[in-house]
Amino acid sequence: YITNITERLNLYKELDSIENETDLINFSNRLSDRFGPLPEPSLSLINTVRLRWLAKKIGFERLVLRNNRFTSYFTSNPDSPYYQSAQFGSILKFLQENPDYCKLKEERNRLFLTFKDVDGITEAIGKLNGLPIPA
């Protein structure tokens, strides 16, 4: 989409530093103005930023989307105050009330949620939007 490698790397760096939706929309509009309509891989990259923001807000520190399985890892520190927080409690309550939404698992002292049949970044965003999100 952007043939100049230096310019592409600078734009990746800029994208990584964006911290809010307004700036992300402005960034996308600038790309469209300069290079034409964004192809699907570029839109997915921009949505990946949104997914990371949402995951961080919920309390996940790592995400993996592979083979239509979406895994969201909670903090790796078992002594983290997050596990005593109202946010974590609301997620546990939600999972108890909605046992088919996803699976809570623990492996190698890591707690995570797995979602099946997630076909891409947009669906992953939808899955996380279904969880309780702090205001």
Side-chain angles (χ1 to χ4, degrees), residues 8-73:
R8 188 175 339 137
L9 292 174
N10 287 334
L11 289 168
Y12 283 142
K13 191 179 203 180
E14 182 181 348
L15 177 61
D16 191 50
S17 71
I18 295 173
E19 296 181 356
N20 62 64
E21 185 66 23
T22 301
D23 291 345
L24 188 59
I25 291 169
N26 290 337
F27 177 83
S28 298
N29 289 339
R30 269 195 355 259
L31 285 180
S32 293
D33 289 345
R34 287 181 65 197
F35 303 104
L38 275 68
E40 185 57 40
S42 298
L43 293 171
S44 290
L45 181 61
I46 288 169
N47 279 332
T48 298
V49 172
R50 289 184 175 105
L51 180 64
R52 284 187 357 214
W53 291 341
L54 183 57
K56 184 177 179 182
K57 190 173 187 180
I58 294 171
F60 296 116
E61 71 175 17
R62 181 172 174 237
L63 305 172
V64 176
L65 178 57
R66 184 179 356 191
N67 299 327
N68 289 21
R69 185 177 300 259
F70 178 45
T71 306
S72 303
Y73 292 85

